[in-house]
Amino acid sequence: MTRAGRDKFAQKSLGGLHRNIKQAKCLMVGAGGIGCELLKNLVLTGFGEIHIVDLDTIDLSNLNRQFLFGRQHIKKPKALVAKETASRFNPNTKLTAHHANIKDSNFNVAWFKSFTIVFNALDNLDARRHVNKMCLAADVPLIESGTTGFNGQVQVISKAVTECYDCTTKPIPKSFPVCTIRSTPSQPIHCIVWAKSYLFNELFGASEDEVPEFDHSEDTDNAQEIKNLRQEAQELKRIRETLGQPEFAQNVFEKVFNKDITRLLEMKDMWKNRKPPAPLSFTSLSRGSLSSCPSDQRIWTPEENLWVFCDSLDRLSLRILGLKSMGEDLLLSFDKDDEDKLDFVAASANLRSQVFDIGCQSKFNIKQMAGNIIPAIATTNAITAGICVMQAFKVLKQKIKDARMVFLSMSGDRGLITEPLRTPNPSCQICGVARLDFECDTSKIQLQEFIKVVLQDVFEYSPSISILHDKLIYDEEYDDNLDASFENLGITDGSFLTILDESDDDQPRRVNLIVQIKTRSPSEPEKSFVIPHRIDIPMKQAQPPSLDSLVLSGKDFGRNNSPHVSNEVEQSRKRKAEDTLDSNQEPSKKVKAEGEIIIIDDGYIEID
Amino acid sequence: MSVPGAPTAKEKKYDRQLRLWGAGGQEALETAHILLINATAAGSETLKNLVLPGVGQFTIVDQAVVTDEDLGTNFFLDDSSIGLSRAQKACELLCELNPEVQGHFIKDTIENIVKSSPEKLKDFTTVIATGDVCTDTLLSLDAILYPLGIPIFVVKCVGFTMSCRLALAEHPIVETHPASTVDLRLFNPFPELSALVDEKTAFINDQEKMTTHEHGHLPYVLILLQTLNEWKSTHDNQPPSNYSQKNEFKSLLRSKMWNADEENFEEAIAAVLPHFNPPSIPSETRAIFQDEKCTSLTKESTQFWVIARAIKEFSEKNDGLLPLPGALPDMKAESKDYIRLQNIYKSKARADLAAVVGIVRDLLKGLGRDGGEIAESEVETFCKHAGYAKLIRGRSLNEEYEKSPKAQVISNELSDPTSLIHYYLGLRAYEAFISEQSNAQRTAPGAEDSTVDADTEKLKKHVTELLDKLSITYSSELLEGTEKAIGEIVRAGGGELHNISSLTGGVVAQEVIKVITKQYIPMNNTVLFDGISSRTTVYQL
Ligand SMILES: [Zn+2]
């Protein structure tokens, strides 16, 4: 049944815009905190058609704000449940749900082009950047949003008119050198990362070498120590085989808190200017006899740490053995919301802190530090989603110049802070580019054919180029892939190649060329591709020569003195989106956790 | 597998918010009982944002039945609700959001309750008025609740506009959640700290007796204190006081560096401007100390005032210093030195706390109360925030409507056509417009197309009457902004736009949470929002 009165107020307030809204087809990426609010707003405002994409399933800790979900929905896909709940509230809106990753290849540029407007309601940087890129390629306006605690932010992105998401540098995740974590911790966070990314993984998960978070870029400076660490890991693997036996907990304990520490102590040079660690002995520590896990709010005593260490190891071992008996996968991965795993990480981190005489932490704090937890509440999401829709109205009215960048900081006498949208950053690697569609048969075309016939003959590129497809596939010194077909290089329909002009610094360089691959229709099967028409590729504007290399290497791009970037430090301070807890951090690498600041050394192990 | 002693399902559900307001804030929320007047879209959205984080109870007062228009704006009503009690249906759907919350409803008008059973109102923790409530009723509510210290939020949401007015007589906040509570005591080092400075920095200028590593790992606090001693010896024992002296001081620090990579010295230089302030009690804290409730305690004095008084006495005995919060920022240092320094600050904070606790106990006994009635943890929280505590003294609606000591604020803003004060006037006129009508047959301005022009004129008349009453002079140009605001309000025809209602629900619930938990600083006392420009302004009216 449709009811005429339903739209009465919307029609009155929105006037002619109401028709645009009814005809609009929107895409909402993410059905979490902001997503639930946004979907409700879009449905009740009368948007004609909405697609929802979300990969996640519902967790208990979502229910304090994600009101489209109830207890009965835990572990079900967010996208499907959100659709089901929201559809009850306006029969005139057509809803489609996709329980999928927005990066899946079927969500290609053509698919993005079918939408009037896209809303990002995501919680991670990677997906945000992907949608930004797709919206630029499809030339569809994007409303980007994020929240942290009481803070939030909404940004309108429109190709060639406004800044894109990547026009401002985003902070890199915090990271640590292997030696700090494995041999010379000096802060609680080092011990937490050790417990979570090393010990837990060695005992229950994929081992260190397979963990992508660890970067061994400093290994060569510490070759001997790295060799020792490898051996330690090997020994731990052997102990892993005793899992389930009564002495398992003791074996692990003696290994990591005694034997390995004693070995470290022999490295006399290491302790010249540091307080040496003190090995713990399993038998001399009293395990106490607790009946249950102590409170997660206070710092545990050494006895309590030992008790929880042994108890959580028992619990995890039982789970592994249970899985084994059912012939299932024996690997566990850390999950902050899994009590057994969190207990183990908390107790292990604290025992290690004891060894190195570093302050212990409560389990509550360890959960935040290990899980990178972002505080989240309904109110901030409601305000943010409301602003998103207001900005969408401006876009649908073709008044994008009236749209605003909005920051929420609902405290004291300040409410919303609005700023005019900025124009694109000319040196942006994502939107400051030329674009080309390239039709080909990916199973036939070879990389060298593409370089010769397309890039050199049509576009007159010099030999000094690099080609990236997620990672580098060609440059002047790296020609291994020349004979490979696109298909063999993983380049398929909808893939993007980025062509970088690597001419000498004193030469003018072209902006990056983004080539979108389209699979050729088989009407002319004898040709492996269609020669594209030449398009104009503008020259880059003058910029500090360092910028390219900094961004490409993805490392340490904080120390940049160009005026645009320094501007963004200010902006990223305000910009506390869900994925960027660290965004208020300068490259001095300080992490804020429960009112305390911890310095993180240089290096490259990410925590989440 | 369930683990004994592990966080309960409830703690897990609320984990993300506990990180904002802690167990104390959560408990305050769970024992609160909210009264919502009218299940409008904005009202229902506000409740939604309170039910989700686990408010104890709510009661909806509303006599209306659900109409088609409600369905277009209120998410908590569906097709099956048409023709039924709006209070009941909204209550049912809101309760589905959180089984821990108890919802109640009263199918009546607030006018009747205020008239016939005002004593019922005293049971609520907070009252939120939304929708069309006439002026007389609002002022009667205010007359009952304001003296009792029960906060009232008056929420108006029309078209693209909303306002939220908080009336609360006294609101002390200890946990204001400042960005940092660090006090390094640079200008007033205590003996243990000075001793460490002497021990660690004796050879700061001696490359023979200190290694480069040691020099590069001196904690910056010690560097600053040592250099201050040096400075004071040549400056009449005075620390650098003005900007140019501070710059001179920075140069002195720089001259002590052994090489350009000494991060600890860079930290010291960066700390000069933020941390070189003469010790003084912040004005907000001083206002608390000077408040009559602090200077003359009674048998009924609340915990806040007793602790405030104890801290006041503490500072009088300690050269005007507040208890040390004890927090230490991170810094480049050897971990053993850092931990030692941290312990020195922590021990001093513990000693100060013990002194304040002693005063609290004595004060309570002096008042004939139980010396142990205030927990040490409460005193500790206050000591940590002593320099950041805040007292809000609000203003009643009656005062605003009858005398408005803040007429000047309105007057000053009138000439700015983009000021949101025009929406304040427009919404006050809206309220006057509906207050003229009898309860049963109320229509909003602009509800009927045929009366748009007449209604617009009526609202303008209400604005000029209001300005006359407040003795504010105006010209027709001054009211240009107000006319535009009235135009928007009439265009909406009394209707709500869902996403504005939703945003309003977010703003109001957030303020309600701040007030209930007594954490963070609420917006005092009127927030105005204009959706068209996405702007907010806070006025003290
Ligand atoms: Zn860009």
Side-chain angles (χ1 to χ4, degrees):
Chain A
M1 178 168 53
T2 56
R3 292 181 177 272
R6 183 188 287 278
D7 290 342
K8 185 176 143 193
F9 289 137
Q11 264 168 9
K12 261 187 192 264
S13 286
L14 298 170
L17 176 61
H18 193 244
R19 209 177 322 113
N20 298 359
I21 288 171
K22 279 187 139 170
Q23 288 162 359
K25 180 180 171 189
C26 342
L27 168 62
M28 187 179 96
V29 192
I34 299 176
C36 280
E37 292 284 347
L38 192 53
L39 184 59
K40 166 182 66 84
N41 292 359
L42 295 175
V43 164
L44 283 178
T45 307
F47 277 80
E49 184 174 356
I50 306 164
H51 283 241
I52 308 153
V53 181
D54 197 310
L55 180 65
D56 255 6
T57 53
I58 295 154
D59 182 79
L60 180 58
S61 66
N62 299 146
L63 301 187
N64 78 329
R65 59 197 188 282
Q66 299 176 15
F67 60 90
L68 296 176
F69 316 136
R71 287 216 171 196
Q72 69 277 24
H73 299 126
I74 286 172
K75 294 208 161 40
K76 289 186 177 164
K78 286 186 175 178
L80 306 184
V81 178
K83 178 203 154 172
E84 192 185 295
T85 312
S87 61
R88 300 213 313 265
F89 292 89
N90 190 348
N92 304 327
T93 299
K94 187 176 169 218
L95 291 169
T96 309
H98 308 266
H99 176 220
N101 187 337
I102 191 62
K103 292 178 88 173
D104 290 349
S105 58
N106 51 322
F107 303 129
N108 56 19
V109 174
W111 185 76
F112 271 86
K113 266 193 208 293
S114 72
F115 294 99
T116 323
I117 189 164
V118 176
F119 294 89
N120 255 358
L122 286 159
D123 63 356
N124 71 86
L125 190 67
D126 186 49
R128 281 194 163 104
R129 298 179 105 144
H130 176 79
V131 176
N132 176 55
K133 210 167 67 181
M134 297 303 281
C135 287
L136 291 169
D139 197 7
V140 178
L142 169 65
I143 314 281
E144 160 63 43
S145 59
T147 67
T148 304
F150 288 118
N151 300 309
Q153 148 235 323
V154 177
Q155 179 185 6
V156 178
I157 296 169
S158 175
K159 183 188 164 187
V161 179
T162 71
E163 274 186 337
C164 83
Y165 186 69
D166 270 316
C167 276
T168 56
T169 33
K170 298 293 180 285
I172 42 172
K174 27 188 193 293
S175 49
F176 309 91
V178 173
C179 285
T180 302
I181 298 304
R182 291 288 303 279
S183 308
T184 55
S186 57
Q187 299 290 345
I189 186 72
H190 300 152
C191 299
I192 295 167
V193 170
W194 173 84
K196 172 190 138 178
S197 299
Y198 168 71
L199 186 60
F200 183 89
N201 274 330
E202 289 297 339
L203 289 176
F204 302 110
S207 77
E208 181 196 335
D209 291 343
E210 296 149 47
V211 175
E213 297 162 326
F214 282 74
D215 184 297
H216 298 273
S217 61
E218 292 184 5
D219 288 7
T220 43
D221 303 341
N222 308 293
Q224 183 56 42
E225 178 59 8
I226 292 293
K227 206 176 136 216
N228 290 333
L229 294 175
R230 286 252 157 77
Q231 189 171 347
E232 280 184 1
Q234 287 304 320
E235 289 166 15
L236 199 53
K237 278 206 189 85
R238 281 196 289 278
I239 291 179
R240 182 174 173 159
E241 280 150 24
T242 69
L243 188 145
Q245 293 171 19
E247 65 279 10
F248 178 59
Q250 179 167 1
N251 288 348
V252 175
F253 185 100
E254 296 282 6
K255 169 82 178 93
V256 298
F257 299 121
N258 190 299
K259 188 169 173 223
D260 291 350
I261 304 299
T262 310
R263 206 262 317 151
L264 271 178
L265 276 171
E266 286 161 14
M267 319 269 299
K268 298 265 187 284
D269 279 357
M270 211 178 252
W271 313 111
K272 262 191 192 153
N273 292 307
R274 292 188 178 99
K275 182 168 181 191
L280 298 176
S281 147
F282 188 83
T283 42
S284 66
L285 260 175
S286 119
R287 179 174 168 173
S289 56
L290 302 179
S291 57
S292 65
C293 201
S295 159
D296 64 348
Q297 297 288 333
R298 62 170 173 81
I299 292 171
W300 296 335
T301 63
E303 290 73 29
E304 286 172 334
N305 278 321
L306 180 61
W307 186 88
V308 177
F309 176 82
C310 295
D311 190 61
S312 59
L313 262 182
D314 290 349
R315 283 181 261 142
L316 288 166
S317 302
L318 277 175
R319 282 168 62 170
I320 293 260
L321 295 174
L323 289 171
K324 204 173 191 172
S325 69
M326 291 184 290
E328 281 184 43
D329 190 358
L330 301 179
L331 297 183
L332 300 179
S333 57
F334 178 73
D335 171 1
K336 63 186 181 296
D337 293 314
D338 183 323
E339 259 355 278
D340 300 340
K341 297 172 185 171
L342 183 62
D343 282 342
F344 175 72
V345 165
S348 307
N350 278 336
L351 286 166
R352 187 167 172 86
S353 291
Q354 232 169 290
V355 167
F356 287 90
D357 195 20
I358 298 164
C360 291
Q361 294 284 323
S362 70
K363 181 174 143 191
F364 186 80
N365 283 357
I366 288 174
K367 180 174 181 182
Q368 177 141 340
M369 291 157 94
N372 229 354
I373 291 179
I374 316 291
I377 38 170
T379 51
T380 313
N381 289 328
I383 301 167
T384 304
I387 304 278
C388 285
V389 176
M390 288 311 302
Q391 301 306 315
F393 288 166
K394 311 257 160 126
V395 172
L396 293 176
K397 275 173 104 168
Q398 314 284 333
K399 287 193 170 172
I400 206 151
K401 301 263 180 213
D402 292 346
R404 289 286 179 273
M405 180 97 172
V406 183
F407 299 97
L408 270 75
S409 116
M410 304 299 282
S411 70
D413 50 1
R414 288 195 310 169
L416 304 173
I417 300 159
T418 59
E419 285 176 9
L421 296 174
R422 299 186 197 183
T423 52
N425 173 0
S427 51
C428 176
Q429 299 275 332
I430 303 300
C431 68
V433 297
R435 292 178 187 279
L436 174 72
D437 286 347
F438 180 62
E439 265 184 72
C440 60
D441 180 339
T442 51
S443 66
K444 288 194 182 143
I445 185 167
Q446 290 175 324
L447 185 59
Q448 62 181 345
E449 199 177 2
F450 173 71
I451 293 170
K452 173 78 183 63
V453 183
V454 178
L455 297 181
Q456 294 182 352
D457 292 356
V458 179
F459 290 95
E460 295 172 6
Y461 269 96
S462 76
S464 304
I465 55 166
S466 302
I467 303 178
L468 293 110
H469 172 239
D470 293 333
K471 57 185 193 324
L472 187 75
I473 56 169
Y474 170 81
D475 71 16
E476 263 187 297
E477 274 102 50
Y478 177 55
D479 55 7
D480 302 15
N481 293 324
L482 283 177
D483 294 337
S485 70
F486 273 12
E487 196 175 80
N488 288 340
L489 291 168
I491 302 164
T492 56
D493 188 49
S495 291
F496 291 99
L497 300 181
T498 305
I499 319 299
L500 306 172
D501 182 348
E502 306 278 20
S503 309
D504 289 343
D505 286 350
D506 51 356
Q507 299 282 316
R509 293 190 198 182
R510 293 168 174 188
V511 301
N512 297 351
L513 175 66
I514 309 276
V515 180
Q516 194 199 340
I517 306 302
K518 293 192 160 173
T519 317
R520 180 130 172 70
S521 55
S523 58
E524 289 179 274
E526 70 280 3
K527 281 191 180 171
S528 65
F529 62 93
V530 180
I531 295 176
H533 292 293
R534 177 160 181 169
I535 55 162
D536 181 43
I537 306 174
M539 291 301 165
K540 278 184 189 174
Q541 307 206 355
Q543 56 169 303
S546 58
L547 196 62
D548 274 276
S549 54
L550 285 170
V551 175
L552 284 177
S553 70
K555 285 182 197 168
D556 194 28
F557 49 71
R559 303 270 186 218
N560 197 303
N561 295 322
S562 86
H564 195 93
V565 175
S566 64
N567 209 339
E568 285 140 27
V569 173
E570 168 64 15
Q571 190 167 26
S572 68
R573 190 175 55 75
K574 291 188 219 158
R575 192 177 291 192
K576 293 180 181 166
E578 273 196 6
D579 62 346
T580 54
L581 175 66
D582 354 332
S583 67
N584 51 351
Q585 287 142 33
E586 305 265 331
S588 60
K589 302 161 197 84
K590 297 189 176 185
V591 182
K592 206 167 178 177
E594 288 292 295
E596 283 183 41
I597 301 209
I598 299 138
I599 290 190
I600 293 177
D601 299 336
D602 293 282
Y604 313 100
I605 297 170
E606 286 177 19
I607 29 178
D608 267 346
Chain B
M1 189 190 310
S2 91
V3 184
T8 61
K10 196 170 93 179
E11 282 164 343
K12 279 189 181 173
K13 183 166 83 175
Y14 296 141
D15 182 88
R16 301 301 185 267
Q17 71 202 40
L18 287 171
R19 289 166 199 282
L20 287 172
W21 52 70
Q26 186 64 26
E27 202 198 325
L29 199 59
E30 287 177 18
T31 47
H33 188 169
I34 309 284
L35 174 68
L36 172 69
I37 299 170
N38 295 328
T40 57
S44 304
E45 290 292 322
T46 304
L47 274 190
K48 176 204 82 189
N49 295 330
L50 294 167
V51 167
L52 287 168
V55 74
Q57 302 179 58
F58 68 85
T59 297
I60 302 175
V61 172
D62 195 342
Q63 201 179 33
V65 294
V66 179
T67 63
D68 283 3
E69 285 89 342
D70 284 322
L71 299 193
T73 55
N74 195 328
F75 188 73
F76 296 95
L77 298 171
D78 59 19
D79 274 348
S80 68
S81 316
I82 294 285
L84 301 173
S85 157
R86 196 164 73 166
Q88 182 175 358
K89 295 314 286 183
C91 175
E92 283 170 12
L93 281 158
L94 283 161
C95 280
E96 280 181 19
L97 294 177
N98 192 343
E100 261 117 8
V101 177
Q102 284 182 50
H104 317 273
F105 59 90
I106 303 172
K107 295 184 211 172
D108 199 351
T109 63
I110 189 67
E111 280 85 353
N112 286 339
I113 292 173
V114 166
K115 277 185 202 128
S116 59
S117 45
E119 71 287 347
K120 276 190 186 166
L121 296 167
K122 296 176 184 173
D123 299 335
F124 297 104
T125 318
T126 299
V127 175
I128 304 165
T130 70
D132 295 344
V133 183
C134 67
T135 306
D136 286 348
T137 308
L138 286 176
L139 294 181
S140 306
L141 267 174
D142 179 70
I144 299 165
L145 301 172
Y146 193 80
L148 295 172
I150 298 174
I152 317 164
F153 290 86
V154 180
V155 181
K156 299 192 173 101
C157 188
V158 181
F160 288 105
T161 310
M162 78 97 173
S163 77
C164 172
R165 162 70 154 93
L166 165 63
L168 176 56
E170 176 187 304
H171 186 62
I173 313 150
V174 176
E175 292 171 83
T176 50
H177 293 265
S180 148
T181 58
V182 169
D183 176 1
L184 299 175
R185 283 286 164 87
L186 295 176
F187 289 180
N188 317 67
F190 38 96
E192 298 82 357
L193 184 56
S194 301
L196 187 69
V197 174
D198 295 343
E199 177 194 327
K200 285 283 167 189
T201 63
F203 304 113
I204 191 169
N205 299 323
D206 191 339
Q207 305 219 13
E208 304 279 298
K209 297 201 168 122
M210 199 175 215
T211 67
T212 316
H213 181 89
E214 285 165 348
H215 194 261
H217 286 77
L218 276 173
Y220 80 77
V221 175
L222 302 183
I223 298 173
L224 284 172
L225 285 163
Q226 188 277 335
T227 311
L228 262 170
N229 289 340
E230 207 174 298
W231 168 280
K232 285 201 266 186
S233 67
T234 58
H235 289 81
D236 290 336
N237 211 23
Q238 293 303 310
S241 57
N242 54 36
Y243 186 72
S244 77
Q245 283 195 334
K246 285 179 189 174
N247 277 335
E248 237 177 277
F249 189 86
K250 286 195 203 173
S251 308
L252 180 60
L253 284 168
R254 204 170 285 285
S255 71
K256 290 167 168 277
M257 288 169 81
W258 288 359
N259 61 60
D261 309 327
E262 290 189 315
E263 223 179 289
N264 53 337
F265 278 80
E266 294 295 347
E267 288 175 344
I269 290 162
V272 169
L273 287 181
H275 289 291
F276 271 29
N277 298 307
S280 71
I281 296 178
S283 59
E284 299 279 359
T285 309
R286 209 175 317 123
I288 293 171
F289 287 173
Q290 287 162 359
D291 198 279
E292 211 198 312
K293 288 210 170 171
C294 186
T295 53
S296 38
L297 292 182
T298 68
K299 217 169 159 20
E300 279 72 43
S301 290
T302 58
Q303 171 180 304
F304 176 87
W305 290 114
V306 176
I307 305 175
R309 170 64 174 270
I311 292 177
K312 177 176 189 272
E313 290 186 11
F314 172 92
S315 87
E316 283 160 0
K317 284 182 211 154
N318 288 274
D319 304 326
L321 292 170
L322 294 171
L324 187 71
L328 185 66
D330 209 343
M331 58 193 70
K332 177 102 174 169
E334 280 297 329
S335 33
K336 67 174 190 307
D337 290 340
Y338 180 78
I339 290 163
R340 226 177 124 193
L341 190 59
Q342 203 176 31
N343 284 336
I344 283 178
Y345 278 94
K346 275 189 188 159
S347 312
K348 173 67 177 153
R350 270 197 296 272
D352 285 0
L353 169 63
V356 176
V357 168
I359 303 172
V360 167
R361 303 279 178 256
D362 291 345
L363 284 170
L364 288 170
K365 281 180 207 148
L367 294 166
R369 292 161 61 170
D370 172 7
E373 74 174 63
I374 296 176
E376 182 169 327
S377 60
E378 301 286 346
V379 184
E380 186 179 0
T381 307
F382 208 142
C383 284
K384 280 189 178 152
H385 291 86
Y388 307 90
K390 190 174 167 73
L391 173 68
I392 289 179
R393 290 234 179 262
R395 185 168 292 117
S396 70
L397 288 177
N398 278 288
E399 204 183 346
E400 178 190 340
Y401 279 48
E402 296 310 316
K403 292 178 276 178
S404 195
K406 292 290 176 175
Q408 194 59 39
V409 174
I410 299 169
S411 176
N412 291 346
E413 295 265 317
L414 273 186
S415 58
D416 175 4
T418 66
S419 166
L420 297 188
I421 206 74
H422 301 294
Y423 283 101
Y424 169 74
L425 294 173
L427 290 168
R428 283 287 302 271
Y430 177 99
E431 185 188 303
F433 182 97
I434 56 134
S435 297
E436 281 182 340
Q437 306 172 45
S438 73
N439 197 16
Q441 293 300 319
R442 255 176 219 161
T443 51
E448 305 299 332
D449 291 347
S450 57
T451 62
V452 165
D453 292 340
D455 291 351
T456 305
E457 287 312 310
K458 275 191 194 163
L459 290 192
K460 282 189 204 167
K461 189 170 76 55
H462 285 302
V463 168
T464 54
E465 280 171 11
L466 173 62
L467 292 173
D468 289 341
K469 189 174 174 190
L470 298 176
S471 314
I472 294 171
T473 51
Y474 55 89
S475 61
S476 53
E477 305 95 79
L478 284 184
L479 292 185
E480 203 183 302
T482 308
E483 279 185 32
K484 244 179 80 192
I486 288 174
E488 282 297 328
I489 289 169
V490 172
R491 194 155 69 90
E496 292 186 63
L497 202 58
H498 176 76
N499 75 293
I500 298 291
S501 306
S502 175
L503 183 145
T504 302
V507 173
V508 177
Q510 192 140 302
E511 296 308 300
V512 171
I513 289 170
K514 288 180 193 168
V515 169
I516 290 177
T517 59
K518 294 200 168 65
Q519 294 186 38
Y520 301 93
I521 300 169
M523 294 195 259
N524 181 36
N525 56 22
T526 304
V527 189
L528 285 154
F529 169 76
D530 167 38
I532 295 168
S533 57
S534 293
R535 281 183 303 149
T536 54
T537 309
V538 182
Y539 295 105
Q540 242 181 306
L541 297 170

